[in-house]
Amino acid sequence: MLDYIARRLLVMIPTLLIISILVFLIIQLPPGDYLETMIAELQSQGENVSEERLAFYREQYGFGEPIWKQFGVWFWGLLQGDMGYSFEYEAPVNEVVGDRVFLTVLVSFTTILFVYLVSFPIGVYSAVRQYSVGDYTLTFVGFIGLATPNFLLALILMYFANQWFGVSIGGLVDPELRDAPMSWEKFVNVLGHLWVPVIVIGTAGTAGMIRRLRANLLDELHKQYVTTAKAKGVPPGKLLAKYPLRMALNPFIADIGNLLPEIISGSAIVSVVLSLETTGPMLLGALQSQDMYLAGSFLMALAILTVIGNLLSDLALAALDPRIRLGAEASR
């Protein structure tokens, strides 16, 4: 197992290097750069940009230099913990993300807990009580959850909250606390707004997880070893928890690799619709304005979390399911 982990960690180095090159090339694909985009936007509004400011950006970040030199400046900064300078916000990226990273992690982590706590008992119940009224009802609700886009559900909730209660459910904090530094008062205020994005973002994930757990558990319940255990008189509860349920949890563990990147992306479309102060809208804005250091830092964070998430899910699956072997054991 230790050899397997060591090899995976060594493979991560060239993987992330290749990803960083691809990320930088993708960001550079649109014609022009941030300076040209900014100049065109200001000129369309009848304004001009000072030559001193343009000269500072060109000298500091190598605009006009070969692309490999620009990549070297950015990548060398990442290795030193410097995520670069955000041209749009005129501040270092480390300072720009600020509270947005904390709020994104809070929303994503709470959503993950919501998805697991809701989908686990429902999925088990639907499998154990197959074709019951409860199974049909929960299956119907699950299909609705899968078929409803998150952003559409967000719009529906916003409409009914305004029509029925006359309140706006957009944002994570009240307007008067939006620009205030993080404090206990602001944290409590965030918790009061948190339930809306958690329900909206978690609905589709919950519905999908229920269906996968139900299908996996039904497959295990119909296998021969379950019939044999029943014939030997093993109590139903003990039999379910010790064997079939443990084998059916594979999709829960395998999803770790997909859940970690969501901590940074923060369901960008839903965040835009609900005006959430998370990193998702900031990432979209950085891509639109070609703020390459801000966008590149976000994309590299997503890549790193994806690679780490896949490693953690593989190790957890091996510990949970003895049929899965890693490292030297796989060749036996």
Side-chain angles (χ1 to χ4, degrees):
M1 178 67 74
L2 292 178
D3 291 340
Y4 173 79
I5 296 175
R7 287 199 303 270
R8 285 290 296 268
L9 291 176
L10 290 176
V11 170
M12 286 172 58
I13 297 175
T15 300
L16 292 176
L17 176 60
I18 294 174
I19 291 175
S20 66
I21 296 173
L22 293 176
V23 164
F24 197 80
L25 291 176
I26 291 172
I27 294 174
Q28 295 284 353
L29 281 179
D33 52 35
Y34 176 79
L35 292 185
E36 294 183 10
T37 303
M38 180 180 65
I39 293 172
E41 181 178 352
L42 292 177
Q43 287 178 345
S44 66
Q45 300 172 358
E47 300 180 14
N48 294 318
V49 185
S50 66
E51 290 297 329
E52 293 80 7
R53 183 178 177 186
L54 294 177
F56 168 76
Y57 284 148
R58 288 195 177 98
E59 180 181 356
Q60 187 74 16
Y61 296 103
F63 287 118
E65 296 288 340
I67 189 172
W68 65 269
K69 285 188 177 181
Q70 296 184 41
F71 170 77
V73 171
W74 174 65
F75 189 74
W76 179 247
L78 287 180
L79 294 178
Q80 296 177 316
D82 180 10
M83 301 173 69
Y85 189 87
S86 172
F87 309 122
E88 184 176 1
Y89 293 91
E90 298 186 351
V93 172
N94 296 12
E95 298 178 8
V96 170
V97 293
D99 290 343
R100 285 180 178 262
V101 171
F102 171 75
L103 294 176
T104 305
V105 171
L106 180 63
V107 172
S108 300
F109 182 73
T110 309
T111 302
I112 292 171
L113 288 180
F114 171 80
V115 169
Y116 276 56
L117 292 177
V118 172
S119 59
F120 183 80
I122 294 178
V124 173
Y125 174 84
S126 295
V128 175
R129 298 288 188 269
Q130 187 182 17
Y131 302 137
S132 65
V133 176
D135 180 31
Y136 282 122
T137 303
L138 293 171
T139 298
F140 176 74
V141 174
F143 283 143
I144 293 178
L146 284 172
T148 306
N150 287 341
F151 67 89
L152 179 59
L153 181 60
L155 292 172
I156 293 173
L157 284 179
M158 292 176 68
Y159 173 78
F160 284 112
N162 186 53
Q163 291 293 317
W164 292 351
F165 304 105
V167 298
S168 174
I169 57 175
L172 281 173
V173 292
D174 292 334
E176 60 270 15
L177 295 175
R178 187 161 298 168
D179 297 326
M182 184 56 64
S183 60
W184 178 252
E185 179 185 5
K186 185 174 181 179
F187 179 73
V188 173
N189 192 266
V190 169
L191 294 181
H193 292 77
L194 195 60
W195 64 274
V196 176
V198 166
I199 292 177
V200 171
I201 299 173
T203 299
T206 301
M209 190 71 75
I210 290 173
R211 303 308 302 166
R212 291 198 297 275
L213 178 59
R214 179 182 182 275
N216 277 25
L217 188 53
L218 282 174
D219 181 61
E220 293 294 329
L221 289 174
H222 290 123
K223 289 185 176 179
Q224 187 64 42
Y225 74 88
V226 176
T227 304
T228 304
K230 288 180 180 179
K232 291 183 177 181
V234 179
K238 181 179 179 181
L239 170 62
L240 178 67
K242 189 173 183 180
Y243 297 109
L245 185 58
R246 184 179 177 185
M247 300 299 103
L249 287 178
N250 286 1
F252 277 70
I253 306 302
D255 270 358
I256 294 176
N258 298 325
L259 292 175
L260 286 183
E262 292 181 5
I263 293 179
I264 296 297
S265 61
S267 298
I269 297 178
V270 175
S271 299
V272 171
V273 173
L274 290 175
S275 302
L276 303 181
E277 298 82 5
T278 56
T279 55
M282 180 177 286
L283 171 58
L284 288 178
L287 292 172
Q288 290 171 347
S289 64
Q290 293 183 265
D291 193 351
M292 61 182 188
Y293 291 106
L294 181 58
S297 299
F298 277 129
L299 295 177
M300 277 304 300
L302 291 175
I304 293 172
L305 288 176
T306 300
V307 173
I308 294 176
N310 287 328
L311 174 61
L312 293 178
S313 63
D314 288 345
L315 296 178
L317 283 172
L320 180 69
D321 192 340
R323 297 173 298 181
I324 298 176
R325 296 181 177 183
L326 302 176
E329 297 179 355
S331 60
R332 295 176 184 174

